[in-house]
Amino acid sequence: MMRKVNLHARPGAGLRRYGGAPQPSMRLVCFAWCGAGASVYRRLAPGLSGHIELYAAQLPGREERFNEPRLRRMAQVVETLVEDIAPLADLPLIFFGHSMGALVAYETARALKARSGQEPAALIVSGRNGPESGIPCRRPWHAADDGAFLDHIRGMDGTPPAVMESEAMMSALIPLLRADFEVLETYVHQPGPALSCPVLACAGHADGRVSTAGMAAWTRYTHGGCTIHWFKGGHFYLNRQPRVLTLCIEQWLASLASLQVSHES
């Protein structure tokens, strides 16, 4: 039976579309890390096949939504995203999240399943240990004084030096970073049914924020099987090799029988 596809699906205000996919058979929805906006995923578009339509979540408080109130709890983030993503569910959805985005992608998948009985066709988590593996810090950084907080951000090596050296840019970025850290540091995984979709867990070999055991922990959160893939590089391996990442994603998706059925139906 042919799947009815809405080629003019209109996502909510919190999603941005990148690249062109004139006849998509699936949609890749990406979730960014702390302090980042949707545009960080623009670089993935050139490496994706024409049947994959790329969207990225744009949460309040960043980029063109800078003046909107920032979200400080995971439940608020997920509630917003589920509403925005729902119009896209006429095609198989693939969720990809890096670092903070990995947890957001996972919790959004759970919320989508709880609300509609439909979950993503696949979930890709990157640069993050399993949900119950703990936050990789020993103090609530979102409440730290500015000096300590800036030192911590600098040590994470995720903010461009030009931004770190700009007092004006950092004064605008710090409130958003604090809000995102608060989302993570107040997050507590709630027990519930495991997902049914397959999971791909990715990380850089030199990423000190993840561990072999922590990445393997993702296997406990789905009945659909979990594949673990290690890339060269550190926590932000994906910024240096977007084509390598998209090739890995496409090869993995091509191996999934469930998506092959959806693609052909």
Side-chain angles (χ1 to χ4, degrees):
M1 184 176 182
M2 294 292 292
R3 175 191 291 269
K4 185 178 180 181
V5 176
N6 178 9
L7 296 179
H8 304 286
R10 296 178 63 85
L15 291 179
R16 300 293 174 268
R17 183 178 182 269
Y18 296 113
Q23 293 185 317
S25 62
M26 62 186 74
R27 294 184 169 114
L28 177 64
V29 183
C30 299
F31 306 83
W33 51 92
C34 282
S39 65
V40 297
Y41 286 116
R42 188 193 303 270
R43 71 194 73 188
L44 297 187
L48 292 172
S49 298
H51 68 279
I52 301 178
E53 192 171 38
L54 175 63
Y55 286 88
Q58 186 74 295
L59 293 173
R62 58 206 79 207
E63 297 182 353
E64 76 278 5
R65 302 187 72 184
F66 179 79
N67 291 323
E68 296 181 40
R70 294 173 287 273
L71 307 179
R72 299 179 180 276
R73 291 294 184 273
M74 184 66 76
Q76 297 174 322
V77 172
V78 169
E79 181 67 22
T80 298
L81 289 171
V82 168
E83 294 292 336
D84 288 335
I85 292 169
L88 300 180
D90 60 313
L91 284 178
L93 297 176
I94 316 300
F95 284 1
F96 175 93
H98 179 72
S99 198
M100 169 184 169
L103 283 182
V104 172
Y106 165 71
E107 287 294 345
T108 303
R110 295 179 81 194
L112 197 63
K113 181 177 181 178
R115 177 172 300 190
S116 67
Q118 181 180 4
E119 61 184 83
L123 171 65
I124 306 170
V125 291
S126 172
R128 185 77 195 184
N129 289 331
E132 293 179 283
S133 297
I135 303 298
C137 68
R138 297 179 180 273
R139 60 183 292 187
W141 288 108
H142 73 272
D145 63 77
D146 282 350
F149 188 69
L150 279 172
D151 286 343
H152 182 63
I153 296 301
R154 188 175 292 108
M156 295 179 72
D157 197 29
T159 305
V163 176
M164 291 294 306
E165 293 167 8
S166 169
E167 183 176 345
M169 294 178 75
M170 286 307 296
S171 66
L173 183 59
I174 284 176
L176 172 59
L177 286 168
R178 286 190 184 276
D180 283 355
F181 270 71
E182 190 170 347
V183 169
L184 288 176
E185 293 171 351
T186 58
Y187 170 76
V188 177
H189 182 267
Q190 300 298 323
L195 296 172
S196 301
C197 64
V199 172
L200 174 63
C202 305
H205 278 293
D207 187 352
R209 302 181 211 178
V210 301
S211 64
T212 301
M215 294 303 292
W218 283 104
T219 61
R220 300 199 299 266
Y221 301 95
T222 182
H223 297 307
C226 180
T227 301
I228 301 172
H229 188 91
W230 294 91
F231 292 85
K232 292 181 180 179
H235 187 64
F236 290 101
Y237 72 89
L238 69 171
N239 288 344
R240 294 181 177 273
Q241 45 191 336
R243 293 295 183 103
V244 176
L245 174 61
T246 54
L247 178 61
C248 174
I249 289 173
E250 293 224 27
Q251 289 177 338
W252 180 69
L253 292 175
S255 73
L256 301 178
S258 58
L259 275 177
Q260 291 303 307
V261 171
S262 296
H263 180 65
E264 294 167 3
S265 61

